[in-house]
């Protein structure tokens, strides 16, 4: 049974369920993994998902790694657009610390080419976690003056990237920033801390270009309550700085049935603001080699939540779940 969407919210997928290793991450030559027929695995995976999904979704957020061959990016984007999907970019940064002034040039050097590629392909939105290095063993939580210094350095880095990539007069309308759970990050680990950067960056820029991405899973693992996060969402929206919503289950990052109320509560909080525009379903493969450190951080991340399904089938079920929630938010007059 097909599910028609009854609101104007754009529903999409972050195809991390297709795995980073063997799916999203290009090889040393900048080439994407391909299936037996020679099709880029991200494209063939999304072709299958589009075919089995009970709801027609309209957008996809693709992780974009520095060093990916331009011809590969061209083929990927063309393949996804052929599925009638709008493509947003998730800018990946690795091996450098955006909070460290000594790494400033290296961070900007990774961001600028991916931003320019997003512009070249007509992306309206880009997202990133480029405010802290992922799973850094060298970092400790920064508070007080050290936190303020981290925010200032991040503002400097991101405004440099903004200028050098030519974002001011580009097709890119917004840059959405995502915080991560404690352990993945040490400092920017909750919604209020992520927003501290977003608001500072917008003040420095003089317009509301940067937005706060809200990921239900990271909110649930952040240590703040549902009520705390809902109150922050209302304040961020009132400030004009609310961005994309990721519907993703706390800890397991698998089937949405493993979520303990966070997705529903925060999706409703986002809808009540009147500022919700995009919702992306995001799942992870519990055995993805790229996420081994996460499984050590929390064994819950390694639980197989498929219950006999393929990951594309789990994702299709998640799309149906979120479509029903959006439709009923509309029926209740919240959307």
């Amino acid at each position: 049974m097909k599910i028609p969407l009854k609101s104007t919210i754009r529903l999409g997928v972050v195809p991390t369920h297709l795995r980073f290793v063997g799916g999203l991450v290009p090889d040393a030559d900048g080439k994407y993994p391909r299936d037996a027929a020679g099709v880029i695995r991200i494209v063939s995976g999304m072709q299958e998902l589009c075919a089995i999904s009970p709801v027609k979704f309209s957008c996809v957020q693709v992780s974009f790694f520095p060093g990916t061959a331009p011809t590969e990016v061209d083929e990927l984007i063309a393949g996804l657009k052929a599925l009638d999907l709008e493509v947003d970019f998730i800018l990946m940064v690795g091996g450098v610390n955006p909070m460290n002034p000594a790494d400033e040039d290296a961070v900007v050097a990774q961001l600028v080419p991916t931003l320019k590629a997003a512009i070249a392909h007509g992306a309206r939105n880009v997202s990133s976690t480029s405010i802290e290095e992922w799973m850094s063993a060298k970092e400790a939580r920064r508070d007080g003056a050290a936190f303020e210094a981290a925010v200032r350095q991040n503002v400097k880095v991101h405004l440099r990237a903004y200028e050098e990539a030519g974002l001011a007069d580009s097709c890119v309308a917004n840059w959405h920033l995502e915080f991560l759970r404690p352990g993945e990050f040490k400092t920017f680990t909750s919604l209020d801390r992520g927003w501290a950067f977003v608001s500072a960056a917008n003040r420095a820029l003089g317009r509301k270009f940067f937005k706060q991405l809200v990921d239900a899973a990271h909110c649930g693992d952040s240590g703040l309550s549902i009520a705390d996060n809902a109150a922050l969402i209302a304040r961020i929206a009132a400030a004009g700085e609310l961005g994309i919503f990721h519907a993703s289950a706390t800890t397991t990052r698998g089937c949405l049935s493993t979520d303990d109320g966070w997705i529903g509560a925060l999706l409703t909080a986002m809808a009540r603001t009147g500022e919700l525009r995009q919702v992306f379903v995001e799942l992870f493969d519990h055995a993805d080699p790229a996420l081994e450190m996460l499984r050590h951080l929390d064994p819950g991340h390694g639980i197989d939540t498929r219950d006999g399904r393929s990951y594309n089938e789990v994702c299709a079920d998640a799309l149906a779940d979120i479509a029903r929630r959006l439709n009923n938010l509309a029926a209740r007059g919240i959307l």
Side-chain angles (χ1 to χ4, degrees), residues 108-326:
V108 172
Q110 290 190 32
L111 286 172
V112 169
T114 53
L115 286 167
K116 286 183 175 179
I119 294 169
H121 288 282
R124 286 195 291 169
N125 292 279
V126 296
S127 301
S128 69
T129 61
S130 54
I131 47 178
E132 189 168 340
E133 185 177 5
W134 186 67
M135 299 289 281
S136 173
K138 304 172 186 175
E139 271 293 319
R141 180 181 171 94
R142 300 187 185 199
D143 289 302
F147 178 75
E148 293 171 5
V151 169
R152 286 195 301 272
Q153 181 59 28
N154 264 312
V155 169
K156 186 180 179 185
V157 164
H158 288 80
L159 263 59
R160 263 194 67 187
Y162 175 95
E163 293 293 339
E164 293 180 24
L167 289 175
D169 299 313
S170 75
C171 57
V172 178
N174 292 114
W175 187 342
H176 303 255
L177 275 297
E178 181 178 7
F179 70 91
L180 299 185
R181 59 174 290 175
E184 291 187 72
F185 279 179
K186 302 292 197 310
T187 293
F188 292 97
T189 56
S190 57
L191 191 52
D192 55 337
R193 285 178 158 246
W195 186 31
F197 161 73
V198 168
S199 60
N202 284 331
R203 284 194 302 273
L205 186 62
R207 70 186 185 102
K208 307 286 187 174
F209 177 76
F210 294 95
K211 301 287 184 176
Q212 180 60 58
L213 190 153
V214 178
D215 183 298
H218 295 314
C219 288
D221 287 325
S222 72
L224 298 182
S225 69
I226 286 177
D228 290 337
N229 279 283
L232 280 164
I233 286 168
R235 290 174 57 202
I236 295 167
E241 294 172 330
L242 189 64
I244 287 166
F245 182 69
H246 279 178
S248 195
T250 54
T251 305
T252 68
R253 309 306 302 277
C255 179
L256 300 196
S257 65
T258 66
D259 179 70
D260 295 322
W262 286 87
I263 292 170
L266 297 191
L267 179 59
T268 299
M270 296 278 288
R272 287 190 189 282
T273 69
E275 297 299 319
L276 179 63
R277 301 288 182 268
Q278 289 179 285
V279 176
F280 287 91
V281 165
E282 185 180 36
L283 312 172
F284 291 85
D285 186 319
H286 70 286
D288 188 340
L291 304 177
E292 182 66 25
M293 286 196 293
L294 274 182
R295 292 190 286 276
H296 287 297
L297 176 65
D298 190 327
H301 199 86
I303 295 172
D304 185 351
T305 64
R306 290 174 295 175
D307 199 25
R309 298 164 292 175
S310 71
Y311 267 108
N312 257 345
E313 289 169 337
V314 177
C315 196
D317 285 346
L319 284 163
D321 177 283
I322 298 303
R324 297 288 190 199
R325 291 179 186 273
L326 291 172

Side-chain angles (χ1 to χ4, degrees), residues 6-31:
K6 299 177 181 178
S7 74
T8 58
I9 304 303
R10 294 170 60 238
L11 178 61
V13 170
V14 184
T16 42
H17 66 286
L18 301 176
R19 290 194 174 193
F20 285 99
V21 174
L24 299 173
V25 180
D27 64 18
D29 296 320
K31 297 184 180 298

